Amino acid sequence: MATFLYRLGRFSFRKRHFVALFWVALLALAGAGAAGAPAAGNSSFSIPGTEAQKAFDLLDERFPGTSADGATARVVFKAPDGQKMTDPGNKAAVSEAVEELSGGSEVVQVSDPYQGGGVSRDGSIAYASVTYEVSGMELEESSREALKAAAEDARASGLTVEIGGDALQAVPETGSAEIIGIGVAAVVLVITLGSLLAAGLPLLTAIVGVGIGVASITALASTLDLGSTTSILASMIGLAVGIDYALFVVSRYRAELAEGRTREEAAGRAVGTAGSAVVFAGLTVVIALVGLSVVNIPMLTKMGIAAAGTVAVAVLIALTLIPALLGYAGRRVRPAGEKSKLLGGGRAKDAKDKAERPNMGTRWASFVVRRPLAVLLLGVVGLGAAAVPAGSLELGLPDDGSQPVSTTQRRAYDLLSEGFGPGFNGPLVVVVDAEGSDDPQAVFKQAGDEIKALDDVVNVAPAAPNKAGDTATIAVIPDAKPSSVATEDLVHDIRAAGADIKDGTGADVLVTGATAMNIDVSQKLNDALVPYLVLVVGLAFLLLIVVFRSILVPLKAALGFLLSVLAALGAVVAVYQWGWLSGLMGVEETGPIMSMMPIFMVGVVFGLAMDYEVFLVTRIREAHVHGEKPAQAVVTGFRYSARVVTAAAIIMIAVFSGFIGSSDSMVKMIGFGLATAVLFDAFVVRMAIVPAVLALLGEKAWWLPKWLDRALPNVDVEGESLAALDRAADKDDEDKELVRA
């Protein structure tokens, strides 16, 4: 592989005009596709194999035209102080709003608060439910504007009016903190590479890669039903890995220049060595992201594949566009150890003196090699302590109650809780399928009576049968809020009662609705976590055996990852569930952790953790393969890679932290979790635990059974084949000298 990539790097350097034109054309093509595509909305949400989804499908079949999965809105009205919603003036304003809402082209039904029991007991609050024929993602902007206009007209009469439900779900915004993250990345690149131009190359190529990835996602959003969150997560991951991969290639290029190689040769060597590590690091990320498909949640699968595509683009750009741009840069990208004049370079004596002194990576690795057991214990105990809160992890999906208090959805949620109780925001829909029963009406009544007898039930509406009379829906209002443990227990209790009814009558009793769907999603994700870990860690373990030609090094990498991800989950629980530092992180409402958060974070963090493992340990193994003793190889590997790995980690932390300012709670939480995980993994696991373990294992770290060594393909990540080329070239020179003599 090293030889192939070496040739690819030299080709890209020589044919820089062709390579640059190819990537610019690809960016323009993706941009044109995005410009002509419909805007991304909120991806339709289906969970195959769950009871809630089965009930939704049954409703579509038995209640045609009711749009069971259509968008909904609750327009909530509150009377001014001292007045009631039943006062003639307020009643007239609400009636006008209901009439106005009923005229919408996509509206199926609008409930009148005064006819459907939509007025609170104290008379201060009322609501009207609006049902649309299409999902929130497919809802036309004109329908949203009509909804807002009706609310505004009602406000003009003196009422407080807020809108809840999914009809007004907004496209999430990342905020200005993302720009700050990129700014921090730029500063780190300048310090690491010693040149404004060299620092600009990783940023430029990362932006090109993310531009192609996000534009492609936008262009395909409508066709593939990709939600707006998909492009944000793809840009988050693509930007981080794009900068890092380019940084490693540029850094190796400067190191090769410092060895006295020509610029074309240095570009080839950089791609042949650092590029090999980039390929395998990128593969681990892609495996982790594509592996999300095992969960069998379409939205999560699409998010993972879209992000994996962006990572693949980042790898290809690092292997081709970076050497092409280095060809354009020429002498303005200086060898390692030199800085541009603008940054204080040009003093050869100082640069030489600095090169002779051990750098920070060398000093740190020497310390760890001398005290490996102490460093190992300190790192493991520290991460173990950070992981303690993860034992209290509670999973759930966000509702309007987790929205910022500045949004109309959150204010509508609070008004409904005030007027009708917290459980009113999460009604359960019980679907009774009595198609094979002799007396469906008796079954409907039995189901309603048994549900009423359960704890934590506030109200059970009369059964509403379909036209055929064989299926009915029963609305159940829980006592607790939708995301509470009590509501989850109630769903399980209703299903247990339904199982008894089925045994006695043969009728199916299914629980659905947004709250039940969230509970089923959480359970499905929880059940899929272990199989997902086995699949992803297993595949990556096999890949790392091929890369490192060792059993213990990949095993250590996987165990170190588990430590860092558990510690990161502990930090997420402490902030978003317990409320520690919630003000600093902009957390307005604590509660259960997003159901998708742990499994998505596990996938992404595993890929990124293996990035650092590959970049760091390949340098160590390279030194060992070239004849150094294990302890000295650790020090040598850190001398050349610690600075760059540290810079890459800081860049990733900065980029991920920028997404903490997002308006979307899932993006905000994932940004924090990934930034924390990179902090733990890069600076504790890879920089401390890894060298300590390698120092303790010594030569055993690189043990591999002979039969397995013969069976494995030689991918040559360390560039041994390139060293052979050097030896062959030296021999040719010697032969020529002998001929001349």
Side-chain angles (χ1 to χ4, degrees), residues 97-110 130-133 139-140 142-147 150:
V98 169
E99 185 177 352
E100 186 176 348
L101 289 167
S102 301
S105 59
E106 296 179 304
V107 173
V108 174
Q109 182 181 7
V110 181
V130 186
T131 305
Y132 294 89
E133 63 186 14
L139 200 62
E140 293 182 2
S142 59
S143 295
R144 293 191 177 94
E145 292 301 323
L147 181 60

Side-chain angles (χ1 to χ4, degrees), residues 624-692:
H624 181 62
V625 165
H626 293 160
E628 293 189 7
K629 300 241 178 235
Q632 183 57 40
V634 171
V635 176
T636 301
F638 268 69
R639 179 190 307 141
Y640 291 113
S641 59
R643 177 184 176 90
V644 180
V645 169
T646 300
I650 293 174
I651 288 168
M652 277 205 180
I653 292 169
V655 171
F656 289 147
S657 297
F659 289 86
I660 297 175
S662 172
S663 62
D664 185 273
S665 57
M666 180 175 179
V667 174
K668 181 194 293 282
M669 197 178 293
I670 287 178
F672 173 80
L674 292 182
T676 306
V678 170
L679 175 68
F680 289 149
D681 195 86
F683 292 106
V684 181
V685 175
R686 309 303 153 188
M687 286 293 178
I689 294 177
V690 165

